[in-house]
Amino acid sequence: MIICPRCRGLLEVVMPTTINFSMEAARTRRFGVWRYRELLPLDDGITPVSLGEGGTPLISLTRSLNIVNKAINVYVKFEGSNPTGSFKDRGMTVGVTIAKNIGVEGIIVASTGNTAASAAAYAARAGLRCVVVLPKGGVARGKIAQALLYGAEIKEVDGVFDDALEEVFMEVVINGGRRLYPLNSYNPWRLEGQKTVAFEIVDELSFVPDTVIVPVGNAGNISAIWKGFKELYSYGLINKLPKMVGVQAAGAAPLAMTWKLGIDELYAIENPQTIASAIKIGKPVNWLKALRAVRESNGTFITVTDDEILAAMRALAVFEGIGVEPASATTFAGFKKLVEDNFIDRSEVVVLIATGHALKDPDTIVNKAIIRAEHYNLIVK
Ligand code: AN7
């Protein structure tokens, strides 16, 4: 159902080649995912299961740019201001709307945490059961708290996210996906919602940025955002495309490795390690889509160390007042590297996708992020 029986690849939603949509007209609607309804694959008659997702702030960076010593036009798209505190809500509003309309009893997801929190909230809103399968000990406290609060049924497995995902596959094979509908990021409907971040960036800036930097775990988001830009381009709503940059943690970098080696098979990591638990993933299911996105867009994949992540997290917080979780901080750490390597130059406009809120992972803040500030020689007053 979710995998193509012929090539065993993931399914992808193909939108009609022409569409009745104008940005001008859409702007009379509330800023958020459903402003772009005509660009989403749902019939007009369907009422979305919504909590007001999307419409997140695009914040220009100021004082933190001293760290890179260059005046560059950089924005943070702060996805932490979504209803459950991460970009996952964009996909979940679409995915759960579909689940509700096909008449299932509930939904099931494997998750490093944010998908679980989001799935639990939207399932509650829709009156569906929600089962979340989590890597034992591998999920940040804020995310578990949310899943519990929204009433999800929690199942823990030994191992990492990839093992939790295997468990969901098994469950779906057993019940045929009829009872519990799988809403992992291999599910193409969720990616349709996630592509709206591209629409919002263009909508707000009224132009296309040169580079978009995205943290990569299961690699769904970077694929979805690229799909969003490409669709705008195909409808003639924009006339250029950005470079897509994927950032991974050094100890959990299957795609960055695949990219570096220039191979066409995924370089899987059996035992991924990083402080950024959201992206502690060794076998990203969307790896091929992501590889194509980065290749087609003339972008790149890079890695950042845990120390760089913590320093970046601290820098965004103390210099900009932007509180993000470790996975999201990879974007600023990666941006700094790309400026140093001259991949990004002074004339560019860059957007960092800050995928999740700082409160998702309070333990890392309290135990680690404060101390490591000295990596950027921060003087905190
Ligand atoms: C904050 O919740 O995979 O590359 O199960 O929570 O689309 O996987 C989370 C991923 C980046 C990576 N930033 O996005 C999950 C999960 C944050 C995240 C990612 C995640 P993908």
Side-chain angles (χ1 to χ4, degrees):
M1 173 196 54
I2 293 296
I3 287 174
C4 168
R6 220 179 314 153
C7 74
R8 307 203 55 74
L10 301 184
L11 302 183
E12 184 168 303
V13 175
V14 179
M15 293 295 289
T17 48
T18 57
I19 219 128
N20 186 13
F21 175 84
S22 111
M23 204 56 108
E24 281 309 306
R27 282 187 182 136
T28 60
R29 303 174 185 157
R30 184 187 180 282
F31 189 34
V33 168
W34 296 100
R35 172 180 280 191
Y36 315 100
R37 186 167 182 135
E38 291 81 5
L39 304 179
L40 295 172
L42 283 166
D43 290 345
D44 291 349
I46 294 178
T47 305
V49 178
S50 175
L51 290 162
E53 50 293 318
T56 56
L58 192 63
I59 309 166
S60 65
L61 293 190
T62 56
R63 298 202 303 137
S64 62
L65 292 177
N66 288 332
I67 292 166
V68 296
N69 258 328
K70 260 187 204 166
I72 297 178
N73 217 342
V74 190
Y75 297 86
V76 162
K77 183 71 170 157
F78 185 50
E79 291 290 281
S81 74
N82 271 294
T84 75
S86 86
F87 73 100
K88 300 288 182 184
D89 295 342
R90 291 181 187 274
M92 216 48 85
T93 183
V94 174
V96 171
T97 297
I98 287 180
K100 190 178 176 187
N101 278 276
I102 58 181
V104 290
E105 181 187 322
I107 60 172
I108 182 169
V109 296
S111 178
T112 58
N114 279 328
T115 298
S118 184
Y122 283 84
R125 182 101 184 136
L128 295 173
R129 260 181 77 197
C130 178
V131 178
V132 302
V133 186
L134 308 176
K136 197 183 280 175
V139 177
R141 194 192 295 251
K143 304 173 189 181
I144 298 240
Q146 288 180 293
L148 284 166
L149 177 65
Y150 298 126
E153 298 158 48
I154 297 177
K155 187 169 179 181
E156 291 185 307
V157 300
D158 289 323
V160 293
F161 168 83
D162 309 283
D163 303 295
L165 190 59
E166 277 298 316
E167 187 75 20
V168 171
F169 274 130
M170 289 302 291
E171 166 69 23
V172 171
V173 168
I174 291 163
N175 72 40
R178 278 183 290 278
R179 194 165 59 88
L180 290 176
Y181 183 65
L183 266 180
N184 273 105
S185 67
Y186 55 76
N187 182 308
W189 304 117
R190 269 184 53 206
L191 300 186
E192 289 303 297
Q194 288 176 209
K195 77 186 180 186
T196 58
V197 85
F199 303 162
E200 287 185 10
I201 291 168
V202 171
D203 190 349
E204 186 158 359
L205 291 177
S206 294
F207 62 84
V208 180
D210 299 284
T211 304
V212 178
I213 305 182
V214 190
V216 172
N218 231 341
N221 206 30
I222 192 168
S223 315
I225 298 171
W226 177 239
K227 187 173 191 284
F229 281 113
K230 276 206 308 190
E231 286 178 1
L232 293 183
Y233 187 85
S234 75
Y235 299 137
L237 294 165
I238 55 176
N239 54 19
K240 70 168 242 190
L241 289 164
K243 285 178 281 190
M244 302 296 298
V245 173
V247 194
Q248 297 203 290
L255 270 158
M257 282 300 291
T258 305
W259 179 258
K260 196 167 152 195
L261 295 170
I263 51 179
D264 285 328
E265 286 291 313
L266 178 70
Y267 185 96
I269 307 281
E270 285 307 323
N271 188 17
Q273 294 295 339
T274 171
I275 195 163
S277 58
I279 52 171
K280 191 173 157 187
I281 294 173
K283 299 170 196 161
V285 288
N286 286 290
W287 69 272
L288 188 56
K289 284 185 193 176
L291 206 58
R292 285 189 186 137
V294 168
R295 214 179 264 156
E296 281 172 29
S297 73
N298 296 314
T300 189
F301 282 102
I302 54 167
T303 62
V304 292
T305 65
D306 281 2
D307 279 352
E308 288 168 333
I309 292 171
L310 291 169
M313 187 168 152
R314 181 70 160 160
L316 283 176
V318 299
F319 290 134
E320 307 286 359
I322 301 174
V324 303
E325 65 167 284
S328 312
T330 62
T331 57
F332 185 79
F335 162 71
K336 179 174 181 280
K337 278 198 166 164
L338 293 170
V339 173
E340 285 162 1
D341 295 347
N342 291 315
F343 184 91
I344 289 174
D345 72 51
R346 190 183 283 276
S347 63
E348 290 192 26
V349 176
V350 180
V351 176
L352 314 181
I353 309 295
T355 44
H357 199 286
L359 289 175
K360 292 285 192 170
D361 190 356
D363 294 323
T364 298
I365 301 174
V366 174
N367 299 331
K368 304 267 172 58
I370 308 291
I371 306 157
R372 302 305 178 103
E374 65 271 15
H375 277 273
Y376 285 162
N377 299 316
L378 304 187
I379 301 160
V380 182
K381 293 168 203 98

